[in-house]
Amino acid sequence: MDVRIERLDGADAGLVLLGLDRPSARNALGRQLLAEFRAAVRELGSDPGVRVVVVHSLVPGVFCAGADLKERAGMAAAEAATFVQGIRAAFTELEALPMPVIAAVEGAAFGGGLELALAADLRVVGADAKLGLVETALAIIPGGGGTQRLPRLIGVSRAKELIFTARRIGAKEAGRLGLVDQVTVAGGALESALALAREILPNGPLALRLAKQAVSQGMELDLAAGLALEEACYAQVIPTKDRLEGLAAFREKRKPQFRGE
Ligand code: COA
């Protein structure tokens, strides 16, 4: 298996680790890994018990080396285009997961590896992380959403500079650019991502999903349409049991127990 799902339990129930595990190719996105990744994302997306997902690498020193360049070399042109469409779709599916998704990045995240992290809601990186959309150095362009998500995240000219130069940047620079949300000690990305996930975990699961939808979809709309979307999302939390539980817990001065109902 190139992709592993680990469901935490006890106090961490609802927290799921999605691990890339293809050491021989540094987690390069080959046919097998991609198929398993898409299946895993489908599985998590349809599970109402999943509250937060952390995507990480089980391979020391690397998050993901991007597209599998060895497989690519054996593909005809049409096949390569179809495969890249599959990568693009996979990351769109990851982005569309209804619950918060955090990427914990340790080591290299190049090309599709960085594009994968860009499709998460939040990015936590270790101090040794190296990130880059390096495709133009291979005479191709980012094809897993990088030309769209990077400029939306860090601004047009900064994204163009990184894409045109194919530059590999370190964690500190990525933090400065706002490409990542947290820079932690080398080797500490997963632990910090888990700490972040545990901060999210106690909150209303339906509220989290609707807040994600309101922000993610709203960013693509004008303000008036975005506010209408917020209203529509808010309307969906009003009738929930969890909302009443939140009010009751406040009144009774205790911690709420949300069930996602
Ligand atoms: N596709 C296929 N195989 C890859 C790969 C990729 N993108 N990246 C690494 N590998 C393979 C290497 O060919 C090597 O295989 P081998 O043992 O059969 O020679 C193995 O993974 C280990 O790679 P190596 O470079 O020795 O590991 P490293 O830990 O020193 O460096 C990287 C890791 C990720 C920094 C480096 O492999 C790299 O830069 N890869 C290319 C990344 C890239 O340009 N991606 C863009 C895709 S558009």
mmCIF file of all heavy atoms in Angstrom, residues 65-98:
data_model
loop_
_atom_site.group_PDB
_atom_site.id
_atom_site.type_symbol
_atom_site.label_atom_id
_atom_site.label_comp_id
_atom_site.label_asym_id
_atom_site.label_seq_id
_atom_site.Cartn_x
_atom_site.Cartn_y
_atom_site.Cartn_z
ATOM 1 N N ALA A 65 7.676 13.834 -3.668
ATOM 2 C CA ALA A 65 8.580 14.299 -4.741
ATOM 3 C C ALA A 65 7.826 14.688 -6.014
ATOM 4 O O ALA A 65 8.448 14.890 -7.056
ATOM 5 C CB ALA A 65 9.612 13.218 -5.054
ATOM 6 N N GLY A 66 6.509 14.797 -5.939
ATOM 7 C CA GLY A 66 5.745 15.250 -7.115
ATOM 8 C C GLY A 66 5.412 14.102 -8.041
ATOM 9 O O GLY A 66 5.432 12.933 -7.642
ATOM 10 N N ALA A 67 5.120 14.450 -9.281
ATOM 11 C CA ALA A 67 4.732 13.422 -10.252
ATOM 12 C C ALA A 67 5.836 12.383 -10.389
ATOM 13 O O ALA A 67 7.023 12.696 -10.245
ATOM 14 C CB ALA A 67 4.475 14.079 -11.599
ATOM 15 N N ASP A 68 5.439 11.163 -10.654
ATOM 16 C CA ASP A 68 6.417 10.092 -10.873
ATOM 17 C C ASP A 68 7.032 10.261 -12.252
ATOM 18 O O ASP A 68 6.414 9.950 -13.276
ATOM 19 C CB ASP A 68 5.733 8.728 -10.742
ATOM 20 C CG ASP A 68 6.747 7.591 -10.778
ATOM 21 O OD1 ASP A 68 7.739 7.708 -11.536
ATOM 22 O OD2 ASP A 68 6.557 6.594 -10.060
ATOM 23 N N LEU A 69 8.247 10.778 -12.255
ATOM 24 C CA LEU A 69 8.887 11.129 -13.529
ATOM 25 C C LEU A 69 9.357 9.896 -14.299
ATOM 26 O O LEU A 69 9.519 9.949 -15.520
ATOM 27 C CB LEU A 69 10.060 12.090 -13.272
ATOM 28 C CG LEU A 69 9.662 13.422 -12.617
ATOM 29 C CD1 LEU A 69 10.899 14.239 -12.256
ATOM 30 C CD2 LEU A 69 8.745 14.232 -13.532
ATOM 31 N N LYS A 70 9.545 8.800 -13.593
ATOM 32 C CA LYS A 70 9.956 7.556 -14.288
ATOM 33 C C LYS A 70 8.762 6.970 -15.034
ATOM 34 O O LYS A 70 8.882 6.567 -16.192
ATOM 35 C CB LYS A 70 10.525 6.554 -13.291
ATOM 36 C CG LYS A 70 11.873 6.988 -12.719
ATOM 37 C CD LYS A 70 12.372 5.987 -11.701
ATOM 38 C CE LYS A 70 13.663 6.450 -11.044
ATOM 39 N NZ LYS A 70 13.938 5.722 -9.808
ATOM 40 N N GLU A 71 7.626 6.934 -14.362
ATOM 41 C CA GLU A 71 6.404 6.457 -15.035
ATOM 42 C C GLU A 71 6.075 7.365 -16.214
ATOM 43 O O GLU A 71 5.713 6.909 -17.289
ATOM 44 C CB GLU A 71 5.234 6.494 -14.042
ATOM 45 C CG GLU A 71 4.784 5.133 -13.573
ATOM 46 C CD GLU A 71 3.558 5.215 -12.677
ATOM 47 O OE1 GLU A 71 2.609 5.989 -12.957
ATOM 48 O OE2 GLU A 71 3.565 4.502 -11.681
ATOM 49 N N ARG A 72 6.234 8.672 -15.975
ATOM 50 C CA ARG A 72 5.891 9.665 -16.996
ATOM 51 C C ARG A 72 6.699 9.448 -18.270
ATOM 52 O O ARG A 72 6.180 9.602 -19.379
ATOM 53 C CB ARG A 72 6.142 11.079 -16.432
ATOM 54 C CG ARG A 72 5.787 12.239 -17.319
ATOM 55 C CD ARG A 72 4.298 12.416 -17.460
ATOM 56 N NE ARG A 72 3.625 12.530 -16.180
ATOM 57 C CZ ARG A 72 3.432 13.702 -15.532
ATOM 58 N NH1 ARG A 72 3.871 14.823 -16.047
ATOM 59 N NH2 ARG A 72 2.786 13.721 -14.391
ATOM 60 N N ALA A 73 7.978 9.082 -18.087
ATOM 61 C CA ALA A 73 8.864 8.908 -19.250
ATOM 62 C C ALA A 73 8.354 7.810 -20.187
ATOM 63 O O ALA A 73 8.610 7.842 -21.389
ATOM 64 C CB ALA A 73 10.277 8.575 -18.764
ATOM 65 N N GLY A 74 7.594 6.863 -19.628
ATOM 66 C CA GLY A 74 7.084 5.775 -20.453
ATOM 67 C C GLY A 74 5.689 6.031 -20.998
ATOM 68 O O GLY A 74 5.095 5.133 -21.606
ATOM 69 N N MET A 75 5.165 7.231 -20.767
ATOM 70 C CA MET A 75 3.785 7.509 -21.202
ATOM 71 C C MET A 75 3.764 8.219 -22.542
ATOM 72 O O MET A 75 4.558 9.126 -22.790
ATOM 73 C CB MET A 75 3.068 8.417 -20.184
ATOM 74 C CG MET A 75 2.711 7.749 -18.884
ATOM 75 S SD MET A 75 1.826 8.937 -17.826
ATOM 76 C CE MET A 75 1.755 8.010 -16.289
ATOM 77 N N ALA A 76 2.795 7.855 -23.388
ATOM 78 C CA ALA A 76 2.558 8.619 -24.621
ATOM 79 C C ALA A 76 1.946 9.960 -24.213
ATOM 80 O O ALA A 76 1.463 10.109 -23.086
ATOM 81 C CB ALA A 76 1.603 7.841 -25.514
ATOM 82 N N ALA A 77 1.973 10.939 -25.154
ATOM 83 C CA ALA A 77 1.524 12.299 -24.832
ATOM 84 C C ALA A 77 0.096 12.308 -24.285
ATOM 85 O O ALA A 77 -0.185 12.951 -23.257
ATOM 86 C CB ALA A 77 1.631 13.180 -26.081
ATOM 87 N N ALA A 78 -0.795 11.586 -24.929
ATOM 88 C CA ALA A 78 -2.200 11.603 -24.510
ATOM 89 C C ALA A 78 -2.351 10.993 -23.121
ATOM 90 O O ALA A 78 -3.128 11.476 -22.291
ATOM 91 C CB ALA A 78 -3.060 10.839 -25.512
ATOM 92 N N GLU A 79 -1.566 9.964 -22.882
ATOM 93 C CA GLU A 79 -1.617 9.287 -21.589
ATOM 94 C C GLU A 79 -1.129 10.225 -20.480
ATOM 95 O O GLU A 79 -1.692 10.266 -19.392
ATOM 96 C CB GLU A 79 -0.712 8.052 -21.686
ATOM 97 C CG GLU A 79 -1.049 6.933 -20.762
ATOM 98 C CD GLU A 79 -0.039 5.790 -20.912
ATOM 99 O OE1 GLU A 79 0.767 5.811 -21.891
ATOM 100 O OE2 GLU A 79 -0.033 4.922 -20.062
ATOM 101 N N ALA A 80 -0.072 10.988 -20.794
ATOM 102 C CA ALA A 80 0.469 11.929 -19.804
ATOM 103 C C ALA A 80 -0.585 12.973 -19.454
ATOM 104 O O ALA A 80 -0.775 13.320 -18.289
ATOM 105 C CB ALA A 80 1.728 12.595 -20.351
ATOM 106 N N ALA A 81 -1.299 13.467 -20.473
ATOM 107 C CA ALA A 81 -2.331 14.481 -20.231
ATOM 108 C C ALA A 81 -3.431 13.912 -19.344
ATOM 109 O O ALA A 81 -3.885 14.569 -18.393
ATOM 110 C CB ALA A 81 -2.922 14.968 -21.560
ATOM 111 N N THR A 82 -3.835 12.682 -19.621
ATOM 112 C CA THR A 82 -4.895 12.051 -18.820
ATOM 113 C C THR A 82 -4.429 11.851 -17.387
ATOM 114 O O THR A 82 -5.181 12.068 -16.432
ATOM 115 C CB THR A 82 -5.274 10.676 -19.427
ATOM 116 O OG1 THR A 82 -5.605 10.894 -20.794
ATOM 117 C CG2 THR A 82 -6.438 10.042 -18.713
ATOM 118 N N PHE A 83 -3.168 11.455 -17.240
ATOM 119 C CA PHE A 83 -2.657 11.214 -15.892
ATOM 120 C C PHE A 83 -2.613 12.516 -15.082
ATOM 121 O O PHE A 83 -2.987 12.539 -13.908
ATOM 122 C CB PHE A 83 -1.273 10.562 -15.954
ATOM 123 C CG PHE A 83 -0.792 10.135 -14.603
ATOM 124 C CD1 PHE A 83 -1.380 9.053 -13.956
ATOM 125 C CD2 PHE A 83 0.213 10.824 -13.950
ATOM 126 C CE1 PHE A 83 -0.973 8.671 -12.685
ATOM 127 C CE2 PHE A 83 0.635 10.448 -12.683
ATOM 128 C CZ PHE A 83 0.042 9.365 -12.050
ATOM 129 N N VAL A 84 -2.176 13.595 -15.747
ATOM 130 C CA VAL A 84 -2.129 14.886 -15.041
ATOM 131 C C VAL A 84 -3.550 15.323 -14.654
ATOM 132 O O VAL A 84 -3.767 15.874 -13.566
ATOM 133 C CB VAL A 84 -1.411 15.969 -15.882
ATOM 134 C CG1 VAL A 84 -1.503 17.329 -15.190
ATOM 135 C CG2 VAL A 84 0.047 15.595 -16.073
ATOM 136 N N GLN A 85 -4.510 15.050 -15.543
ATOM 137 C CA GLN A 85 -5.911 15.349 -15.180
ATOM 138 C C GLN A 85 -6.298 14.611 -13.907
ATOM 139 O O GLN A 85 -7.012 15.144 -13.056
ATOM 140 C CB GLN A 85 -6.861 14.861 -16.282
ATOM 141 C CG GLN A 85 -7.140 15.867 -17.375
ATOM 142 C CD GLN A 85 -7.945 15.218 -18.507
ATOM 143 O OE1 GLN A 85 -8.690 14.269 -18.278
ATOM 144 N NE2 GLN A 85 -7.767 15.733 -19.704
ATOM 145 N N GLY A 86 -5.809 13.395 -13.786
ATOM 146 C CA GLY A 86 -6.105 12.588 -12.592
ATOM 147 C C GLY A 86 -5.505 13.212 -11.344
ATOM 148 O O GLY A 86 -6.132 13.239 -10.284
ATOM 149 N N ILE A 87 -4.280 13.720 -11.456
ATOM 150 C CA ILE A 87 -3.640 14.388 -10.316
ATOM 151 C C ILE A 87 -4.441 15.638 -9.944
ATOM 152 O O ILE A 87 -4.739 15.890 -8.768
ATOM 153 C CB ILE A 87 -2.171 14.762 -10.645
ATOM 154 C CG1 ILE A 87 -1.331 13.490 -10.824
ATOM 155 C CG2 ILE A 87 -1.587 15.661 -9.566
ATOM 156 C CD1 ILE A 87 0.136 13.750 -11.151
ATOM 157 N N ARG A 88 -4.814 16.409 -10.979
ATOM 158 C CA ARG A 88 -5.581 17.647 -10.731
ATOM 159 C C ARG A 88 -6.898 17.310 -10.025
ATOM 160 O O ARG A 88 -7.293 17.965 -9.061
ATOM 161 C CB ARG A 88 -5.833 18.364 -12.053
ATOM 162 C CG ARG A 88 -6.378 19.776 -11.892
ATOM 163 C CD ARG A 88 -6.556 20.464 -13.240
ATOM 164 N NE ARG A 88 -5.324 20.547 -13.999
ATOM 165 C CZ ARG A 88 -5.108 19.958 -15.182
ATOM 166 N NH1 ARG A 88 -6.065 19.258 -15.766
ATOM 167 N NH2 ARG A 88 -3.957 20.089 -15.784
ATOM 168 N N ALA A 89 -7.563 16.272 -10.510
ATOM 169 C CA ALA A 89 -8.846 15.872 -9.913
ATOM 170 C C ALA A 89 -8.640 15.399 -8.470
ATOM 171 O O ALA A 89 -9.435 15.720 -7.582
ATOM 172 C CB ALA A 89 -9.484 14.778 -10.753
ATOM 173 N N ALA A 90 -7.557 14.663 -8.250
ATOM 174 C CA ALA A 90 -7.299 14.144 -6.896
ATOM 175 C C ALA A 90 -7.172 15.291 -5.895
ATOM 176 O O ALA A 90 -7.711 15.237 -4.790
ATOM 177 C CB ALA A 90 -6.017 13.306 -6.894
ATOM 178 N N PHE A 91 -6.453 16.344 -6.280
ATOM 179 C CA PHE A 91 -6.244 17.448 -5.347
ATOM 180 C C PHE A 91 -7.524 18.275 -5.189
ATOM 181 O O PHE A 91 -7.782 18.841 -4.119
ATOM 182 C CB PHE A 91 -5.061 18.315 -5.784
ATOM 183 C CG PHE A 91 -3.749 17.550 -5.793
ATOM 184 C CD1 PHE A 91 -2.632 18.053 -6.434
ATOM 185 C CD2 PHE A 91 -3.647 16.317 -5.153
ATOM 186 C CE1 PHE A 91 -1.430 17.350 -6.439
ATOM 187 C CE2 PHE A 91 -2.455 15.594 -5.155
ATOM 188 C CZ PHE A 91 -1.348 16.125 -5.800
ATOM 189 N N THR A 92 -8.310 18.351 -6.257
ATOM 190 C CA THR A 92 -9.607 19.036 -6.142
ATOM 191 C C THR A 92 -10.503 18.253 -5.191
ATOM 192 O O THR A 92 -11.232 18.840 -4.379
ATOM 193 C CB THR A 92 -10.257 19.184 -7.533
ATOM 194 O OG1 THR A 92 -9.370 19.960 -8.342
ATOM 195 C CG2 THR A 92 -11.605 19.879 -7.461
ATOM 196 N N GLU A 93 -10.423 16.924 -5.255
ATOM 197 C CA GLU A 93 -11.211 16.086 -4.342
ATOM 198 C C GLU A 93 -10.737 16.267 -2.895
ATOM 199 O O GLU A 93 -11.539 16.325 -1.964
ATOM 200 C CB GLU A 93 -11.112 14.614 -4.768
ATOM 201 C CG GLU A 93 -11.892 14.325 -6.048
ATOM 202 C CD GLU A 93 -11.374 13.117 -6.842
ATOM 203 O OE1 GLU A 93 -10.536 12.349 -6.322
ATOM 204 O OE2 GLU A 93 -11.806 12.967 -8.002
ATOM 205 N N LEU A 94 -9.419 16.377 -2.721
ATOM 206 C CA LEU A 94 -8.889 16.616 -1.376
ATOM 207 C C LEU A 94 -9.394 17.956 -0.847
ATOM 208 O O LEU A 94 -9.876 18.062 0.282
ATOM 209 C CB LEU A 94 -7.353 16.607 -1.390
ATOM 210 C CG LEU A 94 -6.698 16.854 -0.028
ATOM 211 C CD1 LEU A 94 -6.866 15.641 0.878
ATOM 212 C CD2 LEU A 94 -5.213 17.190 -0.171
ATOM 213 N N GLU A 95 -9.285 18.979 -1.698
ATOM 214 C CA GLU A 95 -9.733 20.324 -1.303
ATOM 215 C C GLU A 95 -11.223 20.319 -0.953
ATOM 216 O O GLU A 95 -11.666 21.042 -0.059
ATOM 217 C CB GLU A 95 -9.467 21.287 -2.458
ATOM 218 C CG GLU A 95 -9.795 22.728 -2.155
ATOM 219 C CD GLU A 95 -9.402 23.626 -3.308
ATOM 220 O OE1 GLU A 95 -9.802 23.342 -4.456
ATOM 221 O OE2 GLU A 95 -8.690 24.612 -3.072
ATOM 222 N N ALA A 96 -11.984 19.483 -1.662
ATOM 223 C CA ALA A 96 -13.440 19.454 -1.467
ATOM 224 C C ALA A 96 -13.861 18.593 -0.275
ATOM 225 O O ALA A 96 -15.053 18.496 0.015
ATOM 226 C CB ALA A 96 -14.113 18.952 -2.736
ATOM 227 N N LEU A 97 -12.919 17.981 0.408
ATOM 228 C CA LEU A 97 -13.306 17.228 1.612
ATOM 229 C C LEU A 97 -14.065 18.185 2.535
ATOM 230 O O LEU A 97 -13.650 19.334 2.713
ATOM 231 C CB LEU A 97 -12.076 16.672 2.336
ATOM 232 C CG LEU A 97 -11.543 15.327 1.837
ATOM 233 C CD1 LEU A 97 -10.291 14.938 2.598
ATOM 234 C CD2 LEU A 97 -12.598 14.227 1.936
ATOM 235 N N PRO A 98 -15.149 17.714 3.132
ATOM 236 C CA PRO A 98 -15.978 18.650 3.891
ATOM 237 C C PRO A 98 -15.378 19.087 5.230
ATOM 238 O O PRO A 98 -15.761 20.115 5.768
ATOM 239 C CB PRO A 98 -17.275 17.865 4.112
ATOM 240 C CG PRO A 98 -16.902 16.429 3.975
ATOM 241 C CD PRO A 98 -15.758 16.387 3.021
#
